[in-house]
Amino acid sequence: YNIGDEVIRTVVKEILNETYGRDIVGHFSRDKICVLLKNTSSEQAIRVLSSIRTNIKNKGVLVSLDEVFFTVSIGVTFSSAKTSYEELIHKAQDALSIAKNAGKDRVEVCF
């Protein structure tokens, strides 16, 4: 559990380094973190999330004097005025499943 907690802290730190005060970062479930980027174009959002993915891949956590590296898979969707919360969650989870099934360590978008 201690190693898992350290991984989560590392991931959140990297997310917070790339997001701004207007954005929202939260623990969505046991193994998922949700990031809401406000007033951000789709191109800029993908750039930010890709940067987060790359930064995390290059960070490690210390385990018994060894540095252990890990990766993340990121699912992305975009909202409009008509998009419901449930629809956003469903699309983001679909994109995340695609990223994981395509080999992990990826950013995938579901429109």
Side-chain angles (χ1 to χ4, degrees):
Y1 291 106
N2 292 339
I3 296 167
D5 289 346
E6 186 61 30
V7 167
I8 290 170
R9 279 192 289 277
T10 301
V11 169
V12 170
K13 182 177 179 182
E14 291 305 317
I15 292 170
L16 293 174
N17 284 341
E18 293 290 330
T19 56
Y20 301 99
R22 68 179 183 270
D23 301 324
I24 299 170
V25 177
H27 201 190
F28 185 73
S29 69
R30 183 176 60 86
D31 60 346
K32 295 177 185 165
I33 296 169
C34 182
V35 179
L36 298 173
L37 300 175
K38 294 182 174 183
N39 302 319
T40 305
S41 70
S42 56
E43 293 84 13
Q44 186 179 6
I46 291 170
R47 251 191 316 268
V48 167
L49 295 167
S50 293
S51 179
I52 289 169
R53 183 197 61 79
T54 301
N55 291 345
I56 289 169
K57 183 177 183 174
N58 294 321
K59 296 288 179 182
V61 295
L62 196 59
V63 178
S64 301
L65 302 178
D66 286 324
E67 193 168 20
V68 176
F69 294 90
F70 54 94
T71 62
V72 296
S73 299
I74 300 174
V76 182
T77 192
F78 303 101
S79 70
S80 68
K82 299 177 186 178
T83 310
S84 71
Y85 172 78
E86 291 80 14
E87 186 178 358
L88 279 174
I89 296 301
H90 180 73
K91 286 182 178 182
Q93 288 180 332
D94 285 349
L96 180 58
S97 292
I98 291 167
K100 287 181 175 184
N101 292 333
K104 303 180 182 174
D105 190 29
R106 306 170 56 88
V107 175
E108 291 290 339
V109 179
C110 183
F111 291 97

